[in-house]
């Protein structure tokens, strides 16, 4: 649930960059607290004796351990849904060369995730079992802190996408429009659903959403409203209209 909340906050309010930085700091704090919980004698339960008689953890030890897990969960909720999408924002979808770079980025992205999972389930588990929990948790904590510093170092070079409002509201607007216009006949030519050319969408920094054959229920929502104006309408005046759902408009001056 936390990644859903993190994605919503990033899209509606803070943006991906700020959300990721704040969540990363929270993540580091949680990892540091978890490392302390397994390292300090006062915060970890005593070892089991030879008879497998394990003393029960105190309320303080339970509290610190679960507090660290909850803090990590909050940090994960802000980092996981935003770092990959922010990486995708660095590539222009309308440039063929950058589009190919974007595909390469996701290939290396998933490779690093799977390699990190393999590393954590083998090497780190070995360190925790044979060397100690302090080093076993200290290494990923140190790696996380270094990665955040490296990410901050590249701040001047990033492309930042501003918050665009609640995605839930826009999604609901599409379904409401589809229900209201369900009797409307959708044109056979998909080009009639978009007033602007793809180059004009690129200049405004918006992606044109093409008609889909899988969810045909939403296709009527693409068909623009007929907006009548007393004076000649300009596209910029309609851009922020509450009735506009997508980057689709139809202006008809009287």
């Amino acid at each position: 649930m936390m990644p859903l909340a993190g994605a919503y906050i990033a899209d509606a309010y803070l943006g991906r960059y700020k959300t990721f930085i704040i969540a990363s700091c929270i993540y580091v704090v949680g990892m540091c607290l978890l490392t302390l919980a397994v390292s300090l004698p006062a915060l970890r339960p005593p070892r089991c004796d030879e008879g497998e008689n394990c003393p029960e953890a105190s309320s303080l030890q339970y509290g610190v351990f679960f507090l660290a897990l909850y803090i990590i969960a909050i940090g994960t909720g802000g980092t996981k849904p935003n770092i990959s999408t922010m990486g995708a924002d660095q590539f222009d979808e309308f440039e063929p060369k950058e589009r190919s770079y974007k595909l390469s980025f996701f290939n290396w992205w998933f490779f690093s995730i799977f390699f990190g999972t393999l590393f954590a389930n083998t090497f780190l588990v070995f360190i925790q079992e044979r060397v100690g929990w302090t080093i076993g948790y200290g290494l990923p904590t140190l790696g996380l802190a270094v990665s955040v510093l490296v990410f901050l170092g590249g701040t001047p070079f990033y492309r930042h996408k501003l918050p665009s409002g609640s995605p839930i509201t826009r999604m609901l607007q599409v379904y409401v429009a589809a229900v209201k216009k369900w009797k409307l006949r959708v044109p056979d030519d998909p080009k009639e659903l978009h007033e602007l050319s793809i180059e004009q969408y690129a200049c405004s920094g918006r992606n044109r959403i093409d008609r889909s054959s899988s969810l045909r229920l939403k296709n009527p929502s693409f068909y623009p409203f007929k907006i009548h104006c007393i004076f000649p309408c300009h596209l910029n005046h309609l851009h922020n209209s509450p009735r506009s759902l997508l980057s689709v408009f139809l202006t008809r001056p009287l």
Side-chain angles (χ1 to χ4, degrees):
M1 296 299 294
M2 294 308 299
L4 294 176
Y8 176 82
I9 293 173
D11 290 338
Y13 301 106
L14 298 180
R16 295 186 180 115
Y17 177 80
K18 289 184 179 180
T19 304
F20 178 79
I21 292 299
I22 295 174
S24 296
C25 295
I26 296 175
Y27 202 161
V28 172
V29 171
M31 287 296 298
C32 290
L33 187 59
L34 184 62
T35 304
L36 292 176
V38 299
S39 303
L40 299 180
L43 298 179
R44 67 182 184 189
R47 293 181 177 272
C48 301
D49 55 23
E50 296 181 356
E52 298 297 329
N53 183 20
C54 300
E56 186 177 355
S58 64
S59 299
L60 174 63
Q61 294 167 348
Y62 273 124
V64 173
F65 179 74
F66 283 104
L67 177 62
L69 294 182
Y70 290 139
I71 294 176
I72 291 175
I74 295 174
T76 304
T79 55
K80 283 188 178 298
N82 291 307
I83 184 60
S84 59
T85 51
M86 184 175 176
D89 290 341
Q90 308 310 305
F91 305 96
D92 190 351
E93 186 69 23
F94 301 98
E95 288 290 337
K97 189 175 182 180
E98 292 196 22
R99 189 183 305 170
S100 63
Y101 289 162
K102 185 177 180 179
L103 296 176
S104 178
F105 164 77
F106 277 107
N107 287 336
W108 284 105
W109 171 260
F110 283 105
F111 173 79
S112 62
I113 290 178
F114 294 141
F115 181 79
T117 302
L118 177 64
F119 181 82
N121 290 332
T122 54
F123 180 75
L124 283 182
V125 171
F126 177 82
I127 293 296
Q128 291 170 356
E129 293 291 335
R130 300 298 179 91
V131 180
W133 292 96
T134 301
I135 298 179
Y137 279 96
L139 287 178
T141 303
L142 179 62
L144 176 62
V146 171
S147 65
V148 174
L149 293 177
V150 172
F151 179 83
L152 287 173
T155 299
F157 307 101
Y158 298 143
R159 292 174 177 173
H160 299 276
K161 187 175 181 180
L162 298 177
S164 56
S166 172
I168 298 178
T169 302
R170 297 198 304 272
M171 181 183 68
L172 293 178
Q173 284 178 336
V174 172
Y175 283 101
V176 170
V179 172
K180 286 184 176 180
K181 299 185 288 183
W182 69 278
K183 291 184 178 181
L184 188 65
R185 181 181 179 275
V186 179
D188 296 329
D189 187 2
K191 294 181 180 179
E192 296 183 16
L193 296 174
H194 301 274
E195 185 185 48
L196 306 180
S197 64
I198 191 171
E199 291 78 12
Q200 290 175 291
Y201 282 102
C203 292
S204 63
R206 292 176 174 267
N207 291 326
R208 191 180 73 177
I209 303 178
D210 295 324
R211 184 174 65 174
S212 172
S213 59
S214 58
L215 294 174
R216 291 190 295 271
L217 173 65
K218 297 188 297 181
N219 286 340
S221 65
F222 282 83
Y223 201 73
F225 287 103
K226 294 181 180 180
I227 303 176
H228 299 276
C229 303
I230 298 177
F231 300 101
C233 296
H234 192 274
L235 196 60
N236 293 333
H237 298 159
L238 299 172
H239 186 75
N240 295 321
S241 172
R243 299 186 69 187
S244 61
L245 300 176
L246 309 169
S247 298
V248 179
F249 305 97
L250 179 62
T251 61
R252 285 188 178 181
L254 293 178

